[in-house]
Amino acid sequence: MVPYLTTALTGPLLELEKRLLDAQPTIEHWFRQQWKEQAAPFYTSVDIRNAGFKLAPVDTNLFPGGFNNLNPAFMSLSIHAAMGAVEKICPDAQRLLLIPENHTRNTFYLQNVAVLAHILRQTGLIVRIGTLIPEITQPTTLELPAGGRLTLEPLIRKGDRIGLEGFDPCAVLLNNDLSAGVPEILKGIEQTIMPPLHAGWATRRKSRHFAAYQNVAIEFARLVGIDPWLIDPYFNHCGKIDFQARQGEDCLAEKVDEMLKKIRVKYDEYGIDQPPFVIVKADAGTYGMGIMTVKSPDDVRELNRKQRNKMAVVKEGLEVSEVLIQEGVYTFESINDAVAEPVVYMLDHFVVGGFYRVHTGRGADENLNSPGMHFVPLAFDETCLTPDRSANPDATPNRFYAYGVIARLAMLAASIELDESLNEAEAAAAA
Amino acid sequence: MVPYLTTALTGPLLELEKRLLDAQPTIEHWFRQQWKEQAAPFYTSVDIRNAGFKLAPVDTNLFPGGFNNLNPAFMSLSIHAAMGAVEKICPDAQRLLLIPENHTRNTFYLQNVAVLAHILRQTGLIVRIGTLIPEITQPTTLELPAGGRLTLEPLIRKGDRIGLEGFDPCAVLLNNDLSAGVPEILKGIEQTIMPPLHAGWATRRKSRHFAAYQNVAIEFARLVGIDPWLIDPYFNHCGKIDFQARQGEDCLAEKVDEMLKKIRVKYDEYGIDQPPFVIVKADAGTYGMGIMTVKSPDDVRELNRKQRNKMAVVKEGLEVSEVLIQEGVYTFESINDAVAEPVVYMLDHFVVGGFYRVHTGRGADENLNSPGMHFVPLAFDETCLTPDRSANPDATPNRFYAYGVIARLAMLAASIELDESLNEAEAAAAA
């Protein structure tokens, strides 16, 4: 089953897909140059919105949690790419410690951990799973819904090394986004940590990512001769917001207003008659908490108590004081009348697969990754590697290729963003 | 359909597969170390013989000609691996010139060229095909049996660059093994040539390859704690043979006798009651010409005229004056009573697939890659990347993993062999 676009593809996206397809040699050559300069993150997933007239990333996750949603038929792609990533980042490693999120009941997430551990084991690493959950004080085996088991073990710190009972790993892979800050037990350890600690939400900001993405998108758009807006959502940022105390609302309302106007100009230019909207979300954080769809500046002035509470905290009870204001990108892909949003998965700088988040209860202008969101994952039935020039620009393999290109642009932006934040951290440490 | 072993796997191979499976982390870690030191060839295929008691490479091809026989379901693995190879060897390349063998009627081979060109195009290269065939003086389009077409164009040399009319490539990929020597038109060109010219049969010797393999096998066998003989066929070499003039027969007969005795000792040690045999083949050359199965020293003294003629020349009419004497390894794999021999394909240092040569008209002690050999290719239905420790050591994914390990050992040997011959060529040029 292949998802299809409900919009008739005669507008700018068809043009965009055609450009990407025609420019494939230029694009791949350009990416090769980027990877000579820039090291890709260990792994990345990118949420993409396909508005028919626009194709853009809206979230870039450096601790992807849906490997279980990928097509098992392409598992070998993940193994290959993981082999390459291990070779580059920790060629001497034989034993890898995987540290997942602190979930014990979210069986979908645990299934992701199991698949990830499987991929890493197939590269020849000895993988064991350590948990930050304080209640787990001895090895604890959880049954998985799809069969199989997962054993979580308590972390043990010895001097500058982290490990498990009887297990001294050469490297640590985080599948925990550190929303609650960097745990003491992980600070100052001598083993390689992937992604680095500053990739966690304690340090990372979406606004920094999209600033890096903007530069990438401008360069790429020049390369293939397109308007960068077609692949880049506008964004802005408000600091010092306090939703509960109703502080910072004016900043937010003004910037929302400004952005809606900018979007309207573009919509007019491209003859798009949908109403513009923006997404307001926590600048640090994930799991789609603290997110709202806004169509007018008044929307952010008239939040009721429930909405305020919802926006005020994200995962791990963290308070939201900085928000990202992001151009809303419609998702006009649907499957059997359900809205669908593609998520592309990468290991090292290789696209290894993806899936659609399919959601029946949501609109084309809503976030599909939010709490209580019971999306159905639908694995891509083709890789993003096999564009077919003899087919239409919007034929499935070509659309998947376009997704893979946009996702890699976001991943490149993430790697630039991580370098910048590392430099800042080092400058701060030296000062 | 999965091929099965007719031998009951209770002997040394089961033990060998078990060792490889148990040592997977050690093996993959060891390979990672090797690839830090050693650059893999652009592509390699390895013919493997599975004797039940022994699993060994018998031929390593640096210009593989069967990409069309791989499972299309795993095409994306080839694309990934080719992307990696291009990044390493010619990251700046956008235009690639592919130079195939001088065949215009061998449609199986042409299909291979088409698949190879397709893989390379999917990495984003602009690929055109240049031919060394002197009769082709203008672009010539050939129809392929599986549909599609292939256009061969005459090569044009301009100064130190090779190209086609209107096409100045950044790199050249040879799928021509240079059996007839290095053509003048390719000498001294400034573009990167992959594999390098000294990988062609004008320079390469099988005995040099198996000498390098022997060292690799000894180190690897020590690593996993096995007898190196279980993965390494004995070999020897005779120079200055003239089959037509019946010169050098004594050298050959003596070495054959010596080797048969050595094999018998091993067969006794492992309780194998099959008769030992050796394969005599041209030390330079391919396409399975100039090959014979020998079970007694008398066999090489009593060659009739037809056999002499068959041994005397290989592809392109090249005379055979050096031969490799190689321990014969039975192939005890069969499919529906037909003998089968696995061939493993690699791009860069990644296994990307493989197939069985299935042949009804041949015995377990015969070469399956020889002229007039109409084998049926049977694509591996799994990758060589997914060993399953919960299954038997001889379960299909585990056997394929073992094939992949042995093939990578041979590929590693080939890369060491190429470095040695390059050093010699450079030393000779400097002298």
Side-chain angles (χ1 to χ4, degrees), chain B residues 255-304:
Chain B
K255 291 188 173 172
V256 163
D257 189 33
E258 193 183 297
M259 188 172 293
L260 287 169
K261 283 178 184 152
K262 279 175 73 181
I263 302 171
R264 203 163 286 121
V265 171
K266 279 291 178 186
Y267 277 22
D268 289 346
E269 180 182 339
Y270 287 99
I272 293 149
D273 53 11
Q274 270 85 16
F277 69 103
V278 303
I279 298 283
V280 177
K281 53 187 167 186
D283 203 14
T286 181
Y287 277 76
M289 298 170 86
I291 292 197
M292 60 182 170
T293 299
V294 177
K295 293 194 175 171
S296 138
D298 294 339
D299 289 352
V300 295
R301 287 208 177 87
E302 293 163 7
L303 294 180
N304 60 30

Short mmCIF file of all heavy atoms in Angstrom, two decimals, chain B residues 255-304:
data_model
loop_
_atom_site.label_atom_id
_atom_site.label_comp_id
_atom_site.label_asym_id
_atom_site.label_seq_id
_atom_site.Cartn_x
_atom_site.Cartn_y
_atom_site.Cartn_z
N LYS B 255 54.56 -31.14 -8.50
CA LYS B 255 53.84 -30.29 -7.55
C LYS B 255 52.42 -30.80 -7.31
O LYS B 255 51.89 -30.66 -6.21
CB LYS B 255 53.86 -28.84 -8.03
CG LYS B 255 55.27 -28.26 -7.93
CD LYS B 255 55.36 -26.78 -8.19
CE LYS B 255 56.78 -26.31 -7.89
NZ LYS B 255 57.00 -24.91 -8.29
N VAL B 256 51.83 -31.37 -8.35
CA VAL B 256 50.51 -31.97 -8.20
C VAL B 256 50.60 -33.13 -7.20
O VAL B 256 49.78 -33.25 -6.27
CB VAL B 256 49.96 -32.46 -9.56
CG1 VAL B 256 48.81 -33.44 -9.37
CG2 VAL B 256 49.51 -31.27 -10.41
N ASP B 257 51.62 -33.95 -7.38
CA ASP B 257 51.80 -35.13 -6.53
C ASP B 257 51.97 -34.71 -5.07
O ASP B 257 51.31 -35.23 -4.16
CB ASP B 257 53.03 -35.89 -7.02
CG ASP B 257 53.16 -37.25 -6.34
OD1 ASP B 257 52.10 -37.86 -6.04
OD2 ASP B 257 54.29 -37.70 -6.10
N GLU B 258 52.86 -33.73 -4.90
CA GLU B 258 53.14 -33.19 -3.56
C GLU B 258 51.86 -32.67 -2.89
O GLU B 258 51.58 -32.95 -1.73
CB GLU B 258 54.13 -32.03 -3.79
CG GLU B 258 54.83 -31.46 -2.60
CD GLU B 258 55.68 -30.27 -3.09
OE1 GLU B 258 56.62 -30.47 -3.90
OE2 GLU B 258 55.36 -29.13 -2.68
N MET B 259 51.09 -31.95 -3.68
CA MET B 259 49.88 -31.37 -3.10
C MET B 259 48.84 -32.42 -2.77
O MET B 259 48.19 -32.36 -1.72
CB MET B 259 49.28 -30.31 -4.02
CG MET B 259 48.13 -29.57 -3.35
SD MET B 259 47.55 -28.18 -4.31
CE MET B 259 48.97 -27.12 -4.22
N LEU B 260 48.69 -33.40 -3.66
CA LEU B 260 47.71 -34.46 -3.38
C LEU B 260 48.07 -35.16 -2.07
O LEU B 260 47.18 -35.50 -1.28
CB LEU B 260 47.68 -35.47 -4.54
CG LEU B 260 47.00 -34.95 -5.82
CD1 LEU B 260 47.25 -35.89 -7.00
CD2 LEU B 260 45.49 -34.76 -5.61
N LYS B 261 49.38 -35.33 -1.83
CA LYS B 261 49.81 -35.98 -0.58
C LYS B 261 49.47 -35.11 0.63
O LYS B 261 49.00 -35.60 1.65
CB LYS B 261 51.33 -36.24 -0.62
CG LYS B 261 51.69 -37.45 -1.48
CD LYS B 261 53.19 -37.66 -1.56
CE LYS B 261 53.52 -38.81 -2.52
NZ LYS B 261 54.84 -38.64 -3.13
N LYS B 262 49.72 -33.81 0.49
CA LYS B 262 49.42 -32.90 1.60
C LYS B 262 47.91 -32.90 1.92
O LYS B 262 47.50 -32.89 3.08
CB LYS B 262 49.83 -31.45 1.25
CG LYS B 262 51.31 -31.16 1.43
CD LYS B 262 51.67 -29.75 0.96
CE LYS B 262 51.18 -28.66 1.90
NZ LYS B 262 51.54 -27.30 1.40
N ILE B 263 47.13 -32.92 0.86
CA ILE B 263 45.67 -32.91 1.06
C ILE B 263 45.24 -34.20 1.76
O ILE B 263 44.42 -34.19 2.68
CB ILE B 263 44.90 -32.76 -0.28
CG1 ILE B 263 45.32 -31.47 -1.00
CG2 ILE B 263 43.39 -32.74 -0.03
CD1 ILE B 263 44.78 -31.37 -2.43
N ARG B 264 45.86 -35.32 1.31
CA ARG B 264 45.47 -36.62 1.87
C ARG B 264 45.73 -36.64 3.38
O ARG B 264 44.93 -37.18 4.15
CB ARG B 264 46.23 -37.75 1.16
CG ARG B 264 45.55 -39.09 1.26
CD ARG B 264 46.08 -40.08 0.24
NE ARG B 264 45.62 -39.82 -1.11
CZ ARG B 264 46.40 -39.58 -2.17
NH1 ARG B 264 47.72 -39.55 -2.04
NH2 ARG B 264 45.87 -39.37 -3.36
N VAL B 265 46.84 -36.05 3.80
CA VAL B 265 47.15 -35.97 5.24
C VAL B 265 46.02 -35.25 5.98
O VAL B 265 45.55 -35.72 7.02
CB VAL B 265 48.50 -35.24 5.47
CG1 VAL B 265 48.73 -34.95 6.95
CG2 VAL B 265 49.65 -36.05 4.88
N LYS B 266 45.58 -34.15 5.40
CA LYS B 266 44.50 -33.40 6.04
C LYS B 266 43.19 -34.18 6.01
O LYS B 266 42.43 -34.17 6.99
CB LYS B 266 44.32 -32.05 5.33
CG LYS B 266 45.33 -31.00 5.79
CD LYS B 266 45.05 -30.59 7.23
CE LYS B 266 46.06 -29.59 7.75
NZ LYS B 266 45.86 -29.31 9.18
N TYR B 267 42.92 -34.82 4.88
CA TYR B 267 41.69 -35.61 4.77
C TYR B 267 41.69 -36.71 5.84
O TYR B 267 40.67 -36.99 6.47
CB TYR B 267 41.55 -36.22 3.37
CG TYR B 267 40.94 -35.27 2.34
CD1 TYR B 267 40.96 -33.89 2.52
CD2 TYR B 267 40.32 -35.77 1.19
CE1 TYR B 267 40.39 -33.04 1.57
CE2 TYR B 267 39.75 -34.92 0.24
CZ TYR B 267 39.80 -33.56 0.44
OH TYR B 267 39.23 -32.73 -0.49
N ASP B 268 42.88 -37.32 6.04
CA ASP B 268 42.98 -38.36 7.07
C ASP B 268 42.72 -37.76 8.45
O ASP B 268 41.98 -38.32 9.26
CB ASP B 268 44.36 -39.03 7.04
CG ASP B 268 44.51 -39.92 5.79
OD1 ASP B 268 43.47 -40.20 5.15
OD2 ASP B 268 45.65 -40.30 5.47
N GLU B 269 43.32 -36.61 8.68
CA GLU B 269 43.17 -35.95 9.98
C GLU B 269 41.69 -35.69 10.30
O GLU B 269 41.25 -35.85 11.43
CB GLU B 269 43.95 -34.63 9.97
CG GLU B 269 43.88 -33.83 11.26
CD GLU B 269 44.62 -32.49 11.16
OE1 GLU B 269 45.52 -32.35 10.29
OE2 GLU B 269 44.30 -31.58 11.95
N TYR B 270 40.94 -35.29 9.27
CA TYR B 270 39.53 -34.95 9.50
C TYR B 270 38.57 -36.09 9.14
O TYR B 270 37.36 -35.90 9.16
CB TYR B 270 39.17 -33.67 8.74
CG TYR B 270 39.77 -32.43 9.38
CD1 TYR B 270 40.93 -31.85 8.89
CD2 TYR B 270 39.17 -31.86 10.51
CE1 TYR B 270 41.48 -30.73 9.49
CE2 TYR B 270 39.72 -30.74 11.12
CZ TYR B 270 40.88 -30.17 10.62
OH TYR B 270 41.41 -29.07 11.23
N GLY B 271 39.15 -37.27 8.80
CA GLY B 271 38.29 -38.41 8.50
C GLY B 271 37.44 -38.24 7.26
O GLY B 271 36.28 -38.63 7.23
N ILE B 272 38.01 -37.64 6.23
CA ILE B 272 37.26 -37.41 4.99
C ILE B 272 37.64 -38.50 3.99
O ILE B 272 38.83 -38.69 3.70
CB ILE B 272 37.58 -36.02 4.43
CG1 ILE B 272 37.03 -34.96 5.39
CG2 ILE B 272 37.01 -35.83 3.03
CD1 ILE B 272 37.83 -33.70 5.43
N ASP B 273 36.66 -39.21 3.46
CA ASP B 273 37.03 -40.34 2.61
C ASP B 273 36.87 -40.07 1.12
O ASP B 273 36.99 -40.97 0.31
CB ASP B 273 36.30 -41.62 3.05
CG ASP B 273 34.81 -41.40 3.14
OD1 ASP B 273 34.33 -40.34 2.66
OD2 ASP B 273 34.11 -42.28 3.69
N GLN B 274 36.60 -38.83 0.74
CA GLN B 274 36.61 -38.49 -0.69
C GLN B 274 38.04 -38.48 -1.19
O GLN B 274 38.96 -38.21 -0.41
CB GLN B 274 36.00 -37.10 -0.93
CG GLN B 274 34.52 -37.09 -1.18
CD GLN B 274 33.74 -37.05 0.11
OE1 GLN B 274 34.29 -36.74 1.18
NE2 GLN B 274 32.46 -37.39 0.03
N PRO B 275 38.24 -38.76 -2.50
CA PRO B 275 39.60 -38.66 -3.05
C PRO B 275 40.02 -37.19 -3.19
O PRO B 275 39.23 -36.37 -3.65
CB PRO B 275 39.47 -39.32 -4.42
CG PRO B 275 38.03 -39.24 -4.77
CD PRO B 275 37.26 -39.24 -3.49
N PRO B 276 41.25 -36.87 -2.80
CA PRO B 276 41.74 -35.52 -3.00
C PRO B 276 41.86 -35.20 -4.48
O PRO B 276 42.03 -36.11 -5.30
CB PRO B 276 43.14 -35.53 -2.37
CG PRO B 276 43.19 -36.75 -1.51
CD PRO B 276 42.25 -37.73 -2.14
N PHE B 277 41.75 -33.95 -4.83
CA PHE B 277 42.00 -33.53 -6.22
C PHE B 277 42.57 -32.13 -6.21
O PHE B 277 42.49 -31.43 -5.21
CB PHE B 277 40.73 -33.63 -7.08
CG PHE B 277 39.65 -32.63 -6.75
CD1 PHE B 277 39.45 -31.51 -7.55
CD2 PHE B 277 38.81 -32.82 -5.65
CE1 PHE B 277 38.45 -30.59 -7.25
CE2 PHE B 277 37.82 -31.90 -5.34
CZ PHE B 277 37.63 -30.78 -6.15
N VAL B 278 43.22 -31.79 -7.32
CA VAL B 278 43.70 -30.42 -7.45
C VAL B 278 43.16 -29.82 -8.74
O VAL B 278 42.75 -30.53 -9.65
CB VAL B 278 45.25 -30.31 -7.44
CG1 VAL B 278 45.84 -30.92 -6.18
CG2 VAL B 278 45.86 -30.92 -8.67
N ILE B 279 43.15 -28.50 -8.76
CA ILE B 279 42.73 -27.76 -9.95
C ILE B 279 43.99 -27.09 -10.51
O ILE B 279 44.74 -26.47 -9.76
CB ILE B 279 41.69 -26.69 -9.58
CG1 ILE B 279 40.41 -27.33 -9.00
CG2 ILE B 279 41.38 -25.78 -10.76
CD1 ILE B 279 39.50 -27.95 -10.03
N VAL B 280 44.20 -27.27 -11.79
CA VAL B 280 45.31 -26.57 -12.45
C VAL B 280 44.69 -25.50 -13.34
O VAL B 280 43.79 -25.80 -14.13
CB VAL B 280 46.16 -27.54 -13.30
CG1 VAL B 280 47.26 -26.78 -14.04
CG2 VAL B 280 46.76 -28.63 -12.42
N LYS B 281 45.12 -24.27 -13.14
CA LYS B 281 44.53 -23.21 -13.96
C LYS B 281 45.55 -22.13 -14.26
O LYS B 281 46.57 -22.02 -13.56
CB LYS B 281 43.28 -22.63 -13.32
CG LYS B 281 43.40 -22.13 -11.90
CD LYS B 281 41.99 -21.74 -11.37
CE LYS B 281 41.96 -21.54 -9.86
NZ LYS B 281 40.62 -21.31 -9.33
N ALA B 282 45.27 -21.38 -15.29
CA ALA B 282 46.17 -20.28 -15.67
C ALA B 282 46.35 -19.34 -14.49
O ALA B 282 45.38 -19.01 -13.81
CB ALA B 282 45.58 -19.53 -16.87
N ASP B 283 47.60 -18.91 -14.26
CA ASP B 283 47.85 -18.04 -13.11
C ASP B 283 47.34 -16.61 -13.38
O ASP B 283 47.05 -15.87 -12.44
CB ASP B 283 49.36 -18.02 -12.81
CG ASP B 283 49.64 -17.61 -11.37
OD1 ASP B 283 48.69 -17.62 -10.55
OD2 ASP B 283 50.80 -17.28 -11.06
N ALA B 284 47.24 -16.25 -14.65
CA ALA B 284 46.66 -14.96 -15.02
C ALA B 284 45.49 -15.26 -15.94
O ALA B 284 45.64 -16.01 -16.90
CB ALA B 284 47.69 -14.10 -15.74
N GLY B 285 44.36 -14.71 -15.65
CA GLY B 285 43.25 -14.92 -16.57
C GLY B 285 41.99 -15.27 -15.84
O GLY B 285 41.98 -15.51 -14.65
N THR B 286 40.94 -15.30 -16.62
CA THR B 286 39.63 -15.45 -16.00
C THR B 286 38.70 -16.18 -16.94
O THR B 286 39.15 -16.83 -17.87
CB THR B 286 39.09 -14.06 -15.62
OG1 THR B 286 37.83 -14.22 -15.01
CG2 THR B 286 38.94 -13.18 -16.83
N TYR B 287 37.46 -16.07 -16.70
CA TYR B 287 36.42 -16.72 -17.50
C TYR B 287 36.58 -18.22 -17.51
O TYR B 287 36.13 -18.90 -18.40
CB TYR B 287 36.39 -16.17 -18.93
CG TYR B 287 35.59 -14.91 -18.97
CD1 TYR B 287 36.13 -13.74 -18.50
CD2 TYR B 287 34.27 -14.93 -19.42
CE1 TYR B 287 35.38 -12.59 -18.49
CE2 TYR B 287 33.52 -13.78 -19.41
CZ TYR B 287 34.09 -12.60 -18.95
OH TYR B 287 33.34 -11.47 -18.93
N GLY B 288 37.25 -18.75 -16.50
CA GLY B 288 37.30 -20.19 -16.33
C GLY B 288 37.91 -20.94 -17.50
O GLY B 288 37.68 -22.13 -17.67
N MET B 289 38.68 -20.24 -18.34
CA MET B 289 39.34 -20.98 -19.41
C MET B 289 40.66 -21.49 -18.87
O MET B 289 41.17 -21.02 -17.85
CB MET B 289 39.55 -20.06 -20.60
CG MET B 289 38.22 -19.56 -21.14
SD MET B 289 38.40 -18.24 -22.35
CE MET B 289 38.63 -19.19 -23.84
N GLY B 290 41.22 -22.47 -19.53
CA GLY B 290 42.50 -23.01 -19.08
C GLY B 290 42.43 -23.56 -17.68
O GLY B 290 43.24 -23.22 -16.82
N ILE B 291 41.45 -24.42 -17.43
CA ILE B 291 41.27 -25.01 -16.10
C ILE B 291 41.10 -26.51 -16.22
O ILE B 291 40.39 -26.98 -17.10
CB ILE B 291 40.00 -24.45 -15.42
CG1 ILE B 291 40.20 -22.97 -15.08
CG2 ILE B 291 39.66 -25.22 -14.15
CD1 ILE B 291 39.23 -22.42 -14.08
N MET B 292 41.78 -27.30 -15.38
CA MET B 292 41.48 -28.73 -15.37
C MET B 292 41.50 -29.31 -13.96
O MET B 292 42.19 -28.81 -13.07
CB MET B 292 42.40 -29.51 -16.30
CG MET B 292 43.87 -29.41 -15.97
SD MET B 292 44.83 -30.35 -17.21
CE MET B 292 46.50 -29.83 -16.77
N THR B 293 40.70 -30.37 -13.79
CA THR B 293 40.65 -31.09 -12.52
C THR B 293 41.62 -32.27 -12.62
O THR B 293 41.59 -33.02 -13.59
CB THR B 293 39.22 -31.63 -12.29
OG1 THR B 293 38.34 -30.51 -12.22
CG2 THR B 293 39.14 -32.43 -11.00
N VAL B 294 42.49 -32.43 -11.63
CA VAL B 294 43.54 -33.45 -11.68
C VAL B 294 43.49 -34.28 -10.41
O VAL B 294 43.49 -33.73 -9.30
CB VAL B 294 44.92 -32.76 -11.81
CG1 VAL B 294 46.04 -33.79 -11.80
CG2 VAL B 294 44.98 -31.89 -13.05
N LYS B 295 43.45 -35.62 -10.57
CA LYS B 295 43.40 -36.48 -9.39
C LYS B 295 44.66 -37.30 -9.20
O LYS B 295 44.79 -38.05 -8.22
CB LYS B 295 42.17 -37.40 -9.45
CG LYS B 295 40.90 -36.59 -9.34
CD LYS B 295 39.68 -37.43 -9.06
CE LYS B 295 38.50 -36.49 -8.84
NZ LYS B 295 37.22 -37.18 -8.77
N SER B 296 45.57 -37.20 -10.19
CA SER B 296 46.81 -37.97 -10.12
C SER B 296 47.86 -37.24 -10.96
O SER B 296 47.52 -36.58 -11.94
CB SER B 296 46.56 -39.38 -10.66
OG SER B 296 47.63 -39.79 -11.48
N PRO B 297 49.14 -37.36 -10.56
CA PRO B 297 50.19 -36.70 -11.35
C PRO B 297 50.17 -37.16 -12.80
O PRO B 297 50.52 -36.41 -13.71
CB PRO B 297 51.49 -37.11 -10.66
CG PRO B 297 51.12 -37.77 -9.39
CD PRO B 297 49.68 -38.09 -9.40
N ASP B 298 49.74 -38.40 -13.02
CA ASP B 298 49.71 -38.92 -14.39
C ASP B 298 48.75 -38.13 -15.27
O ASP B 298 48.93 -38.03 -16.49
CB ASP B 298 49.28 -40.39 -14.38
CG ASP B 298 50.33 -41.26 -13.69
OD1 ASP B 298 51.50 -40.80 -13.59
OD2 ASP B 298 49.98 -42.36 -13.24
N ASP B 299 47.71 -37.58 -14.64
CA ASP B 299 46.72 -36.81 -15.41
C ASP B 299 47.37 -35.70 -16.21
O ASP B 299 46.93 -35.36 -17.31
CB ASP B 299 45.67 -36.18 -14.47
CG ASP B 299 44.74 -37.23 -13.86
OD1 ASP B 299 44.81 -38.39 -14.29
OD2 ASP B 299 43.95 -36.86 -12.97
N VAL B 300 48.42 -35.08 -15.63
CA VAL B 300 49.02 -33.96 -16.35
C VAL B 300 50.09 -34.42 -17.33
O VAL B 300 50.57 -33.65 -18.15
CB VAL B 300 49.61 -32.88 -15.39
CG1 VAL B 300 48.51 -32.24 -14.58
CG2 VAL B 300 50.68 -33.45 -14.50
N ARG B 301 50.50 -35.70 -17.22
CA ARG B 301 51.50 -36.22 -18.17
C ARG B 301 50.82 -36.80 -19.40
O ARG B 301 51.43 -36.99 -20.42
CB ARG B 301 52.35 -37.31 -17.50
CG ARG B 301 53.34 -36.76 -16.48
CD ARG B 301 54.56 -37.68 -16.35
NE ARG B 301 55.54 -37.11 -15.43
CZ ARG B 301 55.53 -37.29 -14.11
NH1 ARG B 301 54.59 -38.04 -13.56
NH2 ARG B 301 56.46 -36.73 -13.37
N GLU B 302 49.54 -37.10 -19.26
CA GLU B 302 48.87 -37.81 -20.34
C GLU B 302 47.79 -36.97 -21.01
O GLU B 302 46.76 -37.50 -21.43
CB GLU B 302 48.25 -39.10 -19.77
CG GLU B 302 49.30 -40.10 -19.34
CD GLU B 302 48.73 -41.17 -18.41
OE1 GLU B 302 47.49 -41.19 -18.23
OE2 GLU B 302 49.52 -41.97 -17.87
N LEU B 303 48.03 -35.69 -21.06
CA LEU B 303 47.04 -34.83 -21.71
C LEU B 303 46.99 -35.11 -23.20
O LEU B 303 48.03 -35.24 -23.85
CB LEU B 303 47.39 -33.35 -21.50
CG LEU B 303 47.34 -32.80 -20.08
CD1 LEU B 303 47.73 -31.34 -20.09
CD2 LEU B 303 45.96 -32.99 -19.48
N ASN B 304 45.79 -35.23 -23.74
CA ASN B 304 45.69 -35.38 -25.19
C ASN B 304 45.74 -34.01 -25.86
O ASN B 304 45.74 -32.97 -25.20
CB ASN B 304 44.43 -36.16 -25.57
CG ASN B 304 43.16 -35.45 -25.09
OD1 ASN B 304 43.13 -34.22 -25.00
ND2 ASN B 304 42.13 -36.22 -24.80
#
